[in-house]
Amino acid sequence: MAGGRRRGRGRGRGIRFSKLYSFSCIRSSLREDRSQIGQKGYTRVVYCNDPDNPEAVQLNYRGNYVSTTKYTAVNFLPKSLFEQFRRVANIYFLIVACVSFSPLAPYSALSVLAPLLVVIGATMAKEAVEDWRRRKQDIEANNRRVEVYKNNSFCVTKWKDLRVGDIVKVYKDEFFPADLFLLSSSYEDGICYVETSNLDGETNLKLKHALEETSSLHDEKSFQQFKAVINCEDPNEDLYSFVGTLSYGGTPHVLSLQQILLRDSKLRNTDYIYGVVIFTGHDTKVMQNATDPPSKRTKIERRMDKIVYILFSTLVLISFIGSFFFGIETRKDISNGKYRRWYLRPDDTTVFYDPQRPILAAFLHFLTGLMLYGYLIPISLYVSIEIVKVLQSIFINQDQDMYYEETDKPAHARTSNLNEELGQVNTILSDKTGTLTCNSMEFVKCSIAGTAYGRGMTEVERSLIRRNDRPHEFGDISSDFQGDNGDVDKGKSIKGFNFRDERIMHGQWVNEPHSVVIQNFFRVLAICHTAIPDINEEGEISYEAESPDEAAFVIAARELGFEFFSRTQTCISLHELDHKSGRKVDRTYKLLHVLEFKSSRKRMSVIVKNPENRLLLLSKGADSVMFERLSKEGRMFEAQTRDHIKRYAEAGLRTLVLTYRELDEEEYKAWEEEFSRANTSVAADHDALVDAACDKIERDLILLGATAVEDKLQKGVPECIDRLAQAGIKIWVLTGDKMETAINIGYACSLLRQGMKQIVITLDSQEFDVLRKQGNNEAIAKASFESIRKQIMEGNSQLSSTKENPVSFALIIDGESLGFALNKNLKKSFLEVAIGCASVICCRSSPKQKALVTRLVKMGTGETTLAIGDGANDVGMLQEAHIGVGISGVEGMQAVMSSDFAIAQFRFLERLLLVHGHWCYRRISMMICYFFYKNIAFGFTLFWFEAYASFSGQPAYNDWYMSFYNVFFTSLPVIALGVFDQDVSARLCLKYPLLYQEGVQNILFSWPRIVGWMLNGVISSMIIFFFTTKSIIPQAFRRDGQVTDFEVLGATMYTIVVWAVNCQMALSINYFTWIQHFFIWGSIIFWYIFLVIYGSISPTVSTTAYRVLVEACAPSVLYWLATLLVVISTLLPYYSYRAFQTRFRPLYHDIIQQKRSEGLEIDDTRNELPSRVRDKMHHLKMGLRRS
């Protein structure tokens, strides 16, 4: 593969990576303990190329058939019915439907059963359609084709027929059908390239390599004699770990993740591979990860459940009241042998009305009442909310203002359950790298031999200058040239390289005083990495690297004269600029070992032999581990380099220290023997032995300098954070960066603002440095705990002292201190300080700490939390928060796959919360309140009529009137409200972010507001019943002098109910579309159409509705007059209340609406409002400022 890896080649003879040791497979936090093979959790035995072995058959492993469906043809009906009747309301209606077949029912059984069947059937149909789609995907996957080795040749079979131990052949661009152990590939040394985007979303290719012992297996003949046994871990979900051994040729060989090819990942840039099936079907790691995400329920849903219970209680109460009075009236009907209501024939009755047994009659009436007043419980509420949330999610997905054209990624609501929760977020917990920043690294500065190089100014530096008004603060770092304005060259832009300094560019470094050190510095950048050169057809070289940082280093070395262009199995080749001749020369370095980066090591090294036959160890890593490894002679530039690193961190840059040392032959040989023993060990302390061996060689290093790369802020981040802060949302940043870097990034992105006081909690002091050197861990822990406790108390004191004069605070804490602050004895007081601050920055945070902090905020405050991140290390935080938002960035898609909502850029969070969150919260709140209002208004007319009819249990309306009330006559306007209504436009939502506080404080779904809507329903029912009866009963209803009868009263009252609740909806809506007009007025018109059609059916079916509109109601002027006057009277209380509230106690959206209607654009509403409102707004803003 000389000259790099070329696209479109045939079988390659490339890098023999099996010769190199790599840590890249060790990414899991779990220890790979090979001594546990055969013990619990590590019992799997795979007989390679021998699946019919009796012992293999006896193990009875799962087949490769995969099913992701929730239901089967057998269990669909019982399981889906169980899902439906987990809801209390549905159980109630089912019981009512069953009892309606008895004489207790006040209406026909079919009229109760039909709406229940419609609602349940619609939901079950939706479940069936979704499950059938999953079923079709399963069928397609299970019937894919793959070549399997049988009877000494390869033949085609289906995926679902594979067995553990089979040998398969997978071709380029095909998916792996199961979890495979890589035997060999089209490359001579058994390497292959794998794309894992289906597993973790990462699109960069992963390098896998076979064991040297199996890499020669390339044809059918070689497999005839191949027999081996794999002992490995049992099926588990860890994608980044594999523990196992291969027994082949009488020798055990250690297996790692580098030999494992996971199902649903794809073979790329490799013609074919051979592999042994290890895990099949649901035992594969991708299927082990296919678990349901944590169940999340919104605050509104939980409160809605409580309201349903209240309505159930109300239902029982009014049923009891009705049965109580019914019992009293029934007992009075026979007194001393006299009949009071003789027309009821109390001497000839059934058990349902028996003056001799009034208590039993009252109890049975109670049961009748439970059915009669069931319309208090909205049967279509749940299904309506589901429909509305799905439609809201579609609008979120299609919002063009949250579409990121550069990556062609729109916003995506991965769940519709949490839409309204977006409008109630109190605290945002955010990752930094890749979330606030681009995670697209650019090499911008470096320190070599104590001299700072690199012109230009970072965003953070500009922010610092604006903040401190000190334009020359960074003069010695940004440029050594007076008058430099920091602008970059106008030449060709190079991704990953934004370095400008004439002193070392274009070969000028040869004239610098320390040119040899500079040469070694760039050689380290060009050699110490695991990147792969990729040469396209035009001959241009690009690099595939494991991280953006590494790619930036290799590109920087190339641009400064040290071009890495080829990598073979044992060599790395560079085009170098020779500092003596000034010409480009080709130099090849023999690659002996690669000790890759590991999070616990915080460094990587390579051992090479240069053309002069000298052995060199080249190393780069974090300053916290590299400076302590320097030799006495290698510290010449340490003081200057430390100072530069500090300045770079303050400028928001990520730094690495570069070092090297020369090895003598004897030392290297002795170390190589020890390293080889550690590497091939199968003992429990395998990893510890390898780390110890690496530690021995990575010592006595000579300092060359430090690099500084910039991870630029994403576009619009400062403005977004500033607006979210104006909305009263507290923002926490949880990052792995140093404190200096995090603080200055905080200023650059407006997280920290001018005039904001800082509370810093840290253990970075000389006192603790002395304790650490003494090595007394117990004393360190005790002193650290006490120090953190004191700092937290001091922070509390600062917050308390400024209560009278509100000042914004920011809390900054490092990872070590955070570990103690999360202690059970301190976390409560730590949280008190944190929630008293407007911004919180947690530096050097581990993924576990991120999740723990999120849980602390969620549980400790009880407020809605939102976590946002882009990497696998953010998954715990996203799943712990009430809402998880994933950024579809360059770190892969794991955060997105674990999130509830996905966006491409942080700035879209502003629109997601302040616009869609506010709208969804308002819509769902209004929708639920209105749902309960309309059902109470309707249900209580039944109660008033029953009281009017001596609690006889007689319903006021026809059976089908009642059945269709929630399904046809009032449901569609509510859905339109939940989907389309807007109190203010998207532009005004963003212009007045304080409007968002209506959701945070839950103003629109507070108990007073809920009770107010319920009370409005009761008042409406009273007005409808009493005004209707008093206006039409005492006088002639028709021209022929006939008075109102039962059928006419019911039809008239029902007409008024339909008009009133739909007109109430019209009053509540702020933003009309043609759809809302169509649904509201269409529902009313449909009532008349229904009444005509239903009334024309035989009276045995239509009963009390028979021709009631055509012959009785429509010809009567009184019917239309009563409808008009009673509807107006019903709407007056709500209209009067809203008029009073808007004028004297307006909500924030009322103020904006008022000014908008007057054609005014306001920047400060306070001076335009009544004094009471101004005071309210002032207190709200002061409260937000304190928080």
Side-chain angles (χ1 to χ4, degrees):
M1 193 170 71
R5 180 166 61 79
R6 295 183 180 273
R7 303 176 196 253
R9 60 175 183 272
R11 174 168 169 164
R13 296 177 177 271
I15 312 164
R16 188 172 285 276
F17 275 90
S18 49
K19 294 283 189 184
L20 306 178
Y21 183 76
S22 170
F23 282 116
S24 62
C25 59
I26 309 173
R27 294 175 59 180
S28 173
S29 60
L30 300 174
R31 187 186 179 100
E32 297 184 2
D33 188 350
R34 289 167 182 81
S35 67
Q36 295 179 339
I37 296 294
Q39 299 179 20
K40 186 177 180 181
Y42 300 86
T43 61
R44 197 172 187 87
V45 180
V46 179
Y47 294 91
C48 304
N49 201 22
D50 194 12
D52 295 318
N53 185 305
E55 293 185 29
V57 173
Q58 201 171 16
L59 290 169
N60 195 28
Y61 291 133
R62 290 187 185 188
N64 203 39
Y65 180 84
V66 163
S67 174
T68 60
T69 58
K70 184 177 180 181
Y71 305 103
T72 65
V74 176
N75 71 14
F76 173 73
L77 201 58
K79 193 172 181 180
S80 58
L81 284 173
F82 173 76
E83 290 290 330
Q84 295 306 311
F85 290 109
R86 289 172 67 182
R87 290 171 172 167
V88 179
N90 286 347
I91 293 176
Y92 165 76
F93 285 112
L94 177 64
I95 294 170
V96 168
C98 294
V99 178
S100 65
F101 287 93
S102 75
L104 285 171
Y107 31 63
S108 66
L110 185 60
S111 65
V112 182
L113 202 56
L116 180 64
L117 290 175
V118 169
V119 172
I120 299 296
T123 311
M124 287 176 64
K126 169 178 163 285
E127 291 276 318
V129 169
E130 290 177 352
D131 215 50
W132 174 244
R133 288 174 183 163
R134 289 191 287 265
R135 170 76 175 159
K136 288 201 297 185
Q137 291 172 347
D138 291 344
I139 292 171
E140 181 187 349
N142 287 319
N143 288 288
R144 286 177 181 167
R145 306 285 176 163
V146 67
E147 289 189 13
V148 63
Y149 188 73
K150 287 182 180 178
N151 302 321
N152 298 328
S153 66
F154 281 94
C155 58
V156 176
T157 189
K158 295 178 180 177
W159 278 24
K160 65 182 180 182
D161 297 327
L162 288 180
R163 296 177 297 168
V164 172
D166 278 338
I167 294 177
V168 297
K169 185 177 184 179
V170 180
Y171 290 92
K172 180 180 179 181
D173 293 331
E174 289 184 349
F175 290 100
F176 300 120
D179 288 354
L180 308 178
F181 162 60
L182 175 62
L183 291 173
S184 60
S185 76
S186 56
Y187 291 102
E188 192 177 83
D189 57 354
I191 68 163
C192 69
Y193 297 95
V194 175
E195 181 186 292
T196 59
S197 57
N198 279 357
L199 302 180
D200 55 18
E202 296 181 11
T203 54
N204 57 313
L205 301 185
K206 310 292 192 305
L207 181 70
K208 302 287 184 177
H209 61 79
L211 295 176
E212 190 173 359
E213 289 74 17
T214 64
S215 61
S216 59
L217 300 171
H218 281 294
D219 52 41
E220 295 177 354
K221 288 184 179 179
S222 62
F223 289 116
Q224 289 179 7
Q225 302 302 320
F226 173 71
K227 291 287 188 294
V229 177
I230 295 174
N231 297 85
C232 65
E233 62 189 25
D234 292 336
N236 63 75
E237 73 282 358
D238 194 344
L239 294 172
Y240 303 115
S241 171
F242 182 80
V243 178
T245 57
L246 172 73
S247 298
Y248 178 51
T251 308
H253 305 280
V254 176
L255 303 183
S256 72
L257 198 64
Q258 290 300 95
Q259 289 85 47
I260 305 303
L261 308 173
L262 301 181
R263 179 185 172 115
D264 280 354
S265 51
K266 184 183 284 188
L267 184 65
R268 285 298 181 92
N269 294 5
T270 311
D271 292 340
Y272 60 84
I273 63 96
Y274 295 103
V276 174
V277 176
I278 298 178
F279 298 118
T280 51
H282 288 271
D283 288 343
T284 58
K285 289 186 180 286
V286 66
M287 294 306 297
Q288 291 282 311
N289 276 275
T291 55
D292 292 330
S295 178
K296 297 182 179 181
R297 297 191 70 211
T298 66
K299 286 182 179 178
I300 286 182
E301 278 183 355
R302 292 193 291 269
R303 183 163 289 185
M304 187 172 71
D305 288 345
K306 293 177 183 175
I307 298 171
V308 171
Y309 292 135
I310 290 172
L311 290 180
F312 270 123
S313 303
T314 306
L315 170 63
V316 172
L317 177 63
I318 63 175
S319 298
F320 175 78
I321 293 171
S323 63
F324 177 77
F325 285 105
F326 174 76
I328 293 174
E329 291 294 316
T330 300
R331 190 171 65 175
K332 288 180 180 178
D333 279 343
I334 297 180
S335 179
N336 299 322
K338 293 181 180 180
Y339 300 158
R340 186 170 64 96
R341 293 185 292 184
W342 54 269
Y343 50 86
L344 295 177
R345 292 300 304 276
D347 57 327
D348 183 20
T349 63
T350 64
V351 69
F352 303 109
Y353 167 62
D354 188 353
Q356 304 295 335
R357 293 180 290 176
I359 295 177
L360 178 59
F363 174 73
L364 294 174
H365 184 277
F366 174 75
L367 298 179
T368 300
L370 291 178
M371 289 185 282
L372 178 62
Y373 306 129
Y375 292 96
L376 289 171
I377 313 298
I379 189 172
S380 58
L381 173 62
Y382 291 106
V383 70
S384 298
I385 288 176
E386 282 186 17
I387 292 169
V388 163
K389 287 187 175 182
V390 168
L391 293 173
Q392 287 176 348
S393 298
I394 291 172
F395 284 136
I396 291 174
N397 296 344
Q398 295 182 346
D399 189 339
Q400 291 296 313
D401 291 319
M402 293 196 293
Y403 169 71
Y404 190 48
E405 189 173 1
E406 190 173 317
T407 57
D408 189 30
K409 287 184 178 173
H412 179 42
R414 291 172 51 82
T415 176
S416 60
N417 295 336
L418 305 174
N419 295 352
E420 69 272 25
E421 200 91 324
L422 289 171
Q424 296 183 281
V425 174
N426 178 267
T427 306
I428 294 173
L429 300 104
S430 174
D431 175 42
K432 183 188 79 69
T433 304
T435 303
L436 300 178
T437 61
C438 299
N439 200 17
S440 177
M441 307 301 173
E442 289 189 337
F443 186 93
V444 290
K445 300 177 190 292
C446 60
S447 169
I448 311 174
T451 303
Y453 295 99
R455 293 167 42 186
M457 197 171 291
T458 67
E459 293 176 9
V460 175
E461 286 177 312
R462 293 188 185 97
S463 173
L464 285 169
I465 289 171
R466 286 194 300 269
R467 186 171 87 243
N468 299 326
D469 197 24
R470 289 181 286 180
H472 301 294
E473 176 75 18
F474 293 90
D476 59 331
I477 295 297
S478 297
S479 173
D480 283 306
F481 300 92
Q482 295 296 323
D484 176 38
N485 61 6
D487 293 337
V488 296
D489 271 358
K490 304 298 181 184
K492 182 182 177 183
S493 173
I494 300 168
K495 185 179 180 181
F497 186 74
N498 193 23
F499 180 89
R500 300 292 180 269
D501 197 322
E502 289 82 352
R503 290 173 295 173
I504 59 174
M505 292 186 71
H506 310 298
Q508 294 302 310
W509 60 267
V510 299
N511 301 318
E512 287 294 292
H514 298 284
S515 59
V516 175
V517 178
I518 295 173
Q519 183 183 47
N520 288 334
F521 181 91
F522 289 118
R523 278 178 177 163
V524 172
L525 286 184
I527 298 171
C528 186
H529 56 77
T530 57
I532 307 292
D534 191 357
I535 305 174
N536 63 18
E537 293 175 357
E538 287 78 29
E540 296 176 345
I541 298 177
S542 60
Y543 302 104
E544 283 192 9
E546 288 193 356
S547 68
D549 308 62
E550 192 165 78
F553 294 144
V554 180
I555 292 167
R558 180 189 68 193
E559 296 302 315
L560 293 166
F562 294 79
E563 183 179 39
F564 162 53
F565 69 92
S566 173
R567 186 169 203 148
T568 67
Q569 57 264 39
T570 56
C571 298
I572 285 182
S573 299
L574 308 180
H575 295 308
E576 285 190 18
L577 181 67
D578 183 60
H579 74 287
K580 292 180 180 178
S581 64
R583 295 181 180 179
K584 279 281 186 82
V585 295
D586 288 355
R587 288 173 62 87
T588 300
Y589 296 82
K590 187 176 181 181
L591 189 59
L592 302 176
H593 285 282
V594 178
L595 311 180
E596 286 196 6
F597 177 84
K598 186 180 174 186
S599 57
S600 59
R601 286 164 33 80
K602 296 183 180 179
R603 62 189 181 278
M604 79 159 289
S605 303
V606 296
I607 300 175
V608 298
K609 184 174 281 188
N610 69 7
E612 291 77 32
N613 231 23
R614 291 162 55 196
L615 283 169
L616 299 173
L617 170 73
L618 311 180
S619 187
K620 64 183 180 185
D623 58 298
S624 58
V625 296
M626 297 303 289
F627 281 124
E628 64 188 30
R629 298 177 180 279
L630 298 178
S631 65
K632 289 183 180 179
E633 298 78 18
R635 298 178 180 270
M636 187 183 305
F637 316 113
E638 181 181 5
Q640 302 97 308
T641 305
R642 282 184 181 272
D643 181 58
H644 291 160
I645 287 174
K646 183 180 178 183
R647 297 289 188 92
Y648 292 151
E650 289 173 352
L653 302 175
R654 295 160 65 109
T655 59
L656 278 182
V657 173
L658 272 58
T659 62
Y660 85 106
R661 82 175 175 105
E662 191 170 342
L663 305 174
D664 61 58
E665 198 75 33
E666 290 183 7
E667 177 190 11
Y668 170 71
K669 285 182 178 179
W671 174 83
E672 189 176 34
E673 286 182 14
E674 180 181 350
F675 181 77
S676 181
R677 284 196 303 272
N679 189 24
T680 56
S681 168
V682 293
D685 58 350
H686 169 270
D687 295 342
L689 291 173
V690 172
D691 286 349
C694 294
D695 190 65
K696 282 187 179 180
I697 200 74
E698 293 170 325
R699 291 196 171 276
D700 300 323
L701 304 172
I702 297 171
L703 177 64
L704 295 172
T707 61
V709 296
E710 181 182 15
D711 187 7
K712 287 182 177 292
L713 285 175
Q714 291 180 16
K715 181 183 176 183
V717 166
E719 295 81 5
C720 174
I721 288 180
D722 187 53
R723 196 161 277 146
L724 292 173
Q726 290 178 42
I729 302 173
K730 297 167 187 172
I731 303 173
W732 295 34
V733 171
L734 312 175
T735 176
D737 284 338
K738 298 177 186 175
M739 184 173 285
E740 296 87 352
T741 305
I743 289 174
N744 289 300
I745 288 285
Y747 276 110
C749 67
S750 298
L751 185 65
L752 304 178
R753 297 177 288 279
Q754 199 75 8
M756 186 179 274
K757 290 192 175 182
Q758 294 181 11
I759 299 173
V760 180
I761 299 177
T762 180
L763 292 173
D764 189 11
S765 66
Q766 291 184 349
E767 175 190 348
F768 285 100
D769 288 341
V770 173
L771 280 174
R772 291 185 188 104
K773 287 178 182 177
Q774 292 173 357
N776 188 336
N777 292 333
E778 190 176 338
I780 293 172
K782 189 175 180 181
S784 299
F785 180 87
E786 190 58 33
S787 173
I788 298 302
R789 189 183 65 81
K790 286 182 179 177
Q791 290 181 64
I792 289 174
M793 288 177 62
E794 288 171 6
N796 248 326
S797 301
Q798 289 186 56
L799 291 171
S800 302
S801 64
T802 57
K803 280 187 178 177
E804 306 252 338
N805 184 22
V807 177
S808 291
F809 279 88
L811 173 66
I812 298 139
I813 183 169
D814 60 34
E816 188 180 3
S817 306
L818 186 59
F820 289 99
L822 293 174
N823 181 285
K824 63 180 181 180
N825 296 320
L826 286 180
K827 64 182 181 181
K828 187 176 179 182
S829 50
F830 166 67
L831 182 63
E832 287 177 4
V833 175
I835 61 178
C837 298
S839 301
V840 179
I841 299 177
C842 300
C843 316
R844 296 290 194 188
S845 304
S846 67
K848 185 177 179 181
Q849 284 180 327
K850 289 182 179 182
L852 289 174
V853 169
T854 305
R855 182 183 302 171
L856 177 65
V857 178
K858 180 176 78 171
M859 304 300 290
T861 64
E863 301 289 349
T864 303
T865 56
L866 180 148
I868 180 169
D870 73 316
N873 61 335
D874 301 317
V875 168
M877 176 173 72
L878 298 186
Q879 293 186 337
E880 189 65 53
H882 290 101
I883 306 169
V885 177
I887 300 281
S888 48
V890 299
E891 281 194 26
M893 299 287 285
Q894 271 196 287
V896 167
M897 290 189 292
S898 303
S899 68
D900 304 303
F901 297 89
I903 53 178
Q905 295 276 284
F906 183 87
R907 69 176 184 272
F908 297 150
L909 186 64
E910 173 187 352
R911 186 171 179 87
L912 184 66
L913 297 187
L914 302 188
V915 178
H916 290 285
H918 173 72
W919 283 349
C920 289
Y921 164 74
R922 176 180 178 79
R923 290 164 178 170
I924 295 292
S925 300
M926 288 291 297
M927 177 184 174
I928 295 172
C929 286
Y930 178 78
F931 237 110
F932 291 125
Y933 156 78
K934 74 183 182 66
N935 277 63
I936 289 172
F938 178 65
F940 267 86
T941 58
L942 293 168
F943 177 72
W944 305 129
F945 179 81
E946 200 203 6
Y948 183 76
S950 298
F951 296 99
S952 62
Q954 173 67 46
Y957 310 114
N958 182 283
D959 297 353
W960 289 101
Y961 296 177
M962 295 190 288
S963 298
F964 286 175
Y965 178 76
N966 278 314
V967 179
F968 294 115
F969 302 138
T970 60
S971 59
L972 291 180
V974 191
I975 292 174
L977 169 74
V979 176
F980 298 108
D981 193 38
Q982 298 176 13
D983 54 347
V984 297
S985 66
R987 183 180 65 83
L988 293 177
C989 283
L990 296 173
K991 183 171 183 179
Y992 306 114
L994 199 62
L995 179 64
Y996 187 77
Q997 278 296 307
E998 288 188 348
V1000 177
Q1001 297 177 25
N1002 204 14
I1003 291 172
L1004 302 181
F1005 204 64
S1006 60
W1007 281 114
R1009 193 173 181 89
I1010 293 166
V1011 171
W1013 273 100
M1014 289 181 168
L1015 189 61
N1016 186 28
V1018 175
I1019 293 170
S1020 295
S1021 70
M1022 294 173 69
I1023 293 172
I1024 291 170
F1025 177 78
F1026 291 106
F1027 280 32
T1028 304
T1029 54
K1030 296 298 181 185
S1031 61
I1032 69 173
I1033 287 180
Q1035 53 198 320
F1037 187 76
R1038 305 188 193 181
R1039 288 181 180 178
D1040 59 4
Q1042 289 188 28
V1043 294
T1044 304
D1045 57 15
F1046 170 68
E1047 292 86 352
V1048 170
L1049 176 62
T1052 305
M1053 202 154 59
Y1054 194 91
T1055 300
I1056 294 169
V1057 169
V1058 171
W1059 268 99
V1061 297
N1062 281 290
C1063 289
Q1064 179 78 67
M1065 167 67 70
L1067 284 178
S1068 303
I1069 287 176
N1070 294 281
Y1071 177 76
F1072 271 100
T1073 64
W1074 69 266
I1075 296 175
Q1076 284 151 311
H1077 280 295
F1078 178 76
F1079 283 165
I1080 291 172
W1081 313 122
S1083 295
I1084 296 172
I1085 294 169
F1086 182 66
W1087 154 244
Y1088 289 111
I1089 295 171
F1090 165 79
L1091 200 53
V1092 171
I1093 295 172
Y1094 181 54
S1096 64
I1097 301 173
S1098 168
T1100 56
V1101 176
S1102 59
T1103 61
T1104 58
Y1106 182 69
R1107 304 186 69 83
V1108 70
L1109 179 66
V1110 176
E1111 293 185 356
C1113 295
S1116 172
V1117 176
L1118 185 58
Y1119 169 78
W1120 299 106
L1121 191 60
T1123 300
L1124 176 64
L1125 295 178
V1126 177
V1127 168
I1128 292 173
S1129 302
T1130 306
L1131 298 176
L1132 273 176
Y1134 177 78
Y1135 182 82
S1136 303
Y1137 167 75
R1138 280 294 291 147
F1140 173 82
Q1141 183 191 51
T1142 304
R1143 179 68 185 90
F1144 298 105
R1145 301 184 65 84
L1147 299 175
Y1148 196 41
H1149 73 266
D1150 294 327
I1151 302 166
I1152 298 171
Q1153 286 175 345
Q1154 183 183 349
K1155 294 301 174 184
R1156 183 187 62 183
S1157 64
E1158 294 172 2
L1160 300 175
E1161 288 292 333
I1162 51 173
D1163 292 320
D1164 189 348
T1165 58
R1166 290 173 299 176
N1167 296 326
E1168 306 286 338
L1169 303 172
S1171 59
R1172 183 183 297 176
V1173 180
R1174 290 202 300 271
D1175 292 342
K1176 181 179 176 181
M1177 296 296 296
H1178 175 73
H1179 288 310
L1180 177 58
K1181 289 188 175 181
M1182 289 299 100
L1184 294 176
R1185 197 168 293 170
R1186 281 196 296 272
S1187 63

